[in-house]
Amino acid sequence: MCLAVPMEVIAINDKIADVEIGGVTRQVRLDLIDAAPALGDFVIVHAGFAIRRMDRDDAMETIKLFQEGLGLELI
Amino acid sequence: MNSFDAFKDPKLCRALLDRLLAEADQPLRFMEVCGTHTVSIFQSGLRSLLPATITHVTGPGCPVCVTHESEVACFLELAKRDDVIIATFGDLMRVPGPKGKSLKTAQADGARVEIVYSPIDALAVAAANPGRTVVFLGVGFETTAPAVAATIRLAREQNLKNFRVLCFHKLVPPALEALLADPETNIDAFILPGHVSAIIGAAPYAFLADRYHVPSVITGFEPLDILSALLEIVAMRKSGQPAVVNAYTRVVADSGNPVARAVMDEVFVPVDALWRGLGLLPGSGLVIREAFADFDAMRLPGVTLPDAPPLAGCRCGEVLKGKMAPNECPLFDKACTPATPVGPCMVSTEGGCAAFYKYKLDL
Ligand code: SF4
């Protein structure tokens, strides 16, 4: 039940967004989110609420750091 | 490659694992305190690949499992009332209470129990059943509590008179403190729950390093997240400089989510709370504030927290403290299996016993 999953925002209507992952769509509430997501953003969804926007640039940066640290070629 | 999928990249994981194998030269007992971490560590196969020096211990990270015997007895009593509909996350359905009763058996006995995916769905159940009181079972940590708080606010906005929450929410940091204060737990490091931290941020964990000198890393749920957290822990132990590190910055801000916390603080207030296995922990639970008393199921006439004995033979308490591995419980895989669960740790898919059962058997 702690499960929280990243889903992509495909529509926003005031405090409710449609989100999608792997062909499954849901409606989630945005009451709890601290930075409004834009279309195409991924948000972490838990119990019908978006709780955080995922930072794609930060994710990219983290992966780059791993690759550099481990001497692997960059993606 | 999708920037998020890269966190599963086998080549990268292998390289991190090799580094961990090379560097983990002293024994390390690390605990994770999140059901999703438990499942991920087993499911990814990581548990069997870790260096022999590293021991993975699951802690009290399954909210269904830490719900106290008295709390289970309380909601089972409530379910018996003719004028009540229980709305709950599905995980609570088979949690055993006194005399082998559960919400599932209550339902067979005529109780009305609705499984919902979100507390918001319980509002619709209330609107459709004006003659009854719909009681949502508020179970979960800081990830879930803000969602339930927001739902209570919506119930007020919608002027719903027949919606209430039985609030048994619990807070993670006080449980970690209780574990470290117990000299028998022997925890060298923590992997901290990513989505609880998305709400509370890093500051509430500072005492882990400052007072107990236990290195701790907030991390995500992909194999890469967990491996890099372990590498970070190994490095902190080598340098003798324990800290609380946020390695899940793609989701967790150091300051957490202030909007979600404000909603939670508006509706709930911390109190001492009972945890299965851990007992009464100061400031570790949430109750509904006076201002929202009309939405509090605990304030319905006749509702109490009854005394309830621990489940006979079940060692969930020890499992939740990391003092006993599930397969050391005498009932594990004998009287107790996912098909015939004796305790909540075998019921919930995020429970330590269930994860052990599911993945251990085909290692
Ligand atoms: S194996 Fe079953 S009886 Fe033993 S601790 Fe786990 S849930 Fe309880």
Side-chain angles (χ1 to χ4, degrees):
Chain A
M1 67 159 289
C2 315
L3 199 63
V5 286
M7 298 182 82
E8 186 177 350
V9 176
I10 54 173
I12 299 175
N13 192 349
D14 192 22
K15 280 191 180 157
I16 296 178
D18 292 339
V19 293
E20 191 262 348
I21 189 94
V24 180
T25 51
R26 281 194 188 284
Q27 285 204 328
V28 294
R29 300 217 35 121
L30 301 175
D31 310 56
L32 300 176
I33 205 146
D34 56 336
L39 294 184
D41 276 349
F42 278 78
V43 288
I44 300 285
V45 171
H46 174 71
F49 286 79
I51 58 169
R52 286 282 295 169
R53 192 178 70 86
M54 272 183 105
D55 190 330
R56 203 184 283 263
D57 296 339
D58 184 283
M60 216 58 201
E61 193 54 36
T62 307
I63 291 291
K64 266 207 194 99
L65 284 175
F66 281 141
Q67 289 171 326
E68 283 164 13
L70 295 166
L72 298 174
E73 83 268 25
L74 298 184
I75 38 178
Chain B
M1 191 184 295
N2 175 317
S3 50
F4 300 133
D5 284 348
F7 287 87
K8 301 188 204 332
D9 179 19
K11 206 160 92 190
L12 215 43
C13 289
R14 188 72 242 176
L16 272 182
L17 189 60
D18 287 345
R19 178 156 304 183
L20 193 60
L21 287 165
E23 304 212 348
D25 45 14
Q26 45 170 325
L28 167 70
R29 249 172 79 84
F30 82 92
M31 179 180 268
E32 60 35 49
V33 283
C34 169
T36 312
H37 275 148
T38 313
V39 171
S40 168
I41 287 170
F42 277 97
Q43 204 170 39
S44 62
L46 260 188
R47 199 172 194 278
S48 52
L49 297 173
L50 289 177
T53 45
I54 298 188
T55 311
H56 159 229
V57 186
T58 80
C62 155
V64 171
C65 305
V66 298
T67 301
H68 191 265
E69 291 87 338
S70 291
E71 296 173 332
V72 176
C74 175
F75 67 66
L76 290 176
E77 280 303 311
L78 207 46
K80 286 184 195 159
R81 298 190 181 191
D82 289 339
D83 58 344
V84 162
I85 299 175
I86 300 284
T88 179
F89 294 128
D91 321 42
L92 278 174
M93 286 303 285
R94 296 204 309 147
V95 171
K99 302 196 183 83
K101 294 287 181 192
S102 65
L103 286 175
K104 191 99 195 146
T105 67
Q107 210 173 24
D109 294 341
R112 276 203 60 188
V113 184
E114 300 275 342
I115 296 178
V116 292
Y117 151 78
S118 162
I120 294 285
D121 302 338
L123 296 182
V125 178
N129 292 277
R132 306 223 205 178
T133 301
V134 171
V135 176
F136 177 78
L137 304 182
V139 163
F141 299 125
E142 292 93 331
T143 325
T144 315
V148 176
T151 304
I152 291 175
R153 283 202 326 191
L154 273 170
R156 170 177 282 176
E157 264 169 54
Q158 295 174 8
N159 202 17
L160 270 177
K161 302 282 186 214
N162 63 330
F163 173 78
R164 292 190 181 235
V165 171
L166 193 62
C167 187
F168 294 145
H169 289 294
K170 302 209 178 352
L171 305 172
V172 168
L176 302 184
E177 170 116 55
L179 287 171
L180 291 181
D182 179 342
E184 285 173 28
T185 47
N186 286 322
I187 299 158
D188 298 321
F190 280 112
I191 286 205
L192 297 170
H195 296 139
V196 163
S197 308
I199 306 294
I200 68 175
Y205 303 114
F207 72 95
L208 297 174
D210 296 349
R211 256 188 293 134
Y212 293 96
H213 313 292
V214 168
S216 306
V217 179
I218 297 168
T219 199
F221 303 93
E222 302 297 350
L224 207 61
D225 292 316
I226 293 164
L227 282 168
S228 63
L230 288 174
L231 260 176
E232 185 82 47
I233 284 169
V234 166
M236 283 196 269
R237 288 185 88 213
K238 281 204 170 141
S239 70
Q241 286 175 329
V244 175
V245 174
N246 176 9
Y248 194 31
T249 47
R250 67 187 186 278
V251 171
V252 176
D254 285 350
S255 54
N257 177 342
V259 172
R261 277 204 308 276
V263 176
M264 188 161 70
D265 291 346
E266 183 188 342
V267 179
F268 299 136
V269 61
V271 286
D272 301 348
L274 286 165
W275 294 56
R276 187 185 297 266
L278 281 74
L280 187 72
L281 304 183
S284 69
L286 296 172
V287 290
I288 296 173
R289 285 186 190 275
E290 199 62 44
F292 291 89
D294 291 350
F295 299 95
D296 189 354
M298 212 59 211
R299 298 183 208 220
L300 285 169
V303 176
T304 56
L305 217 48
D307 277 336
L311 296 163
C314 174
R315 310 294 290 272
C316 274
E318 301 303 294
V319 170
L320 291 166
K321 284 184 280 197
K323 289 189 183 178
M324 184 184 246
N327 58 349
E328 289 165 3
C329 167
L331 303 187
F332 180 83
D333 198 15
K334 297 196 175 68
C336 187
T337 69
T340 57
V342 174
C345 304
M346 189 62 93
V347 171
S348 169
T349 47
E350 294 166 353
C353 299
F356 236 78
Y357 185 92
K358 183 163 179 202
Y359 298 103
K360 181 83 184 169
L361 297 183
D362 46 49
L363 275 187

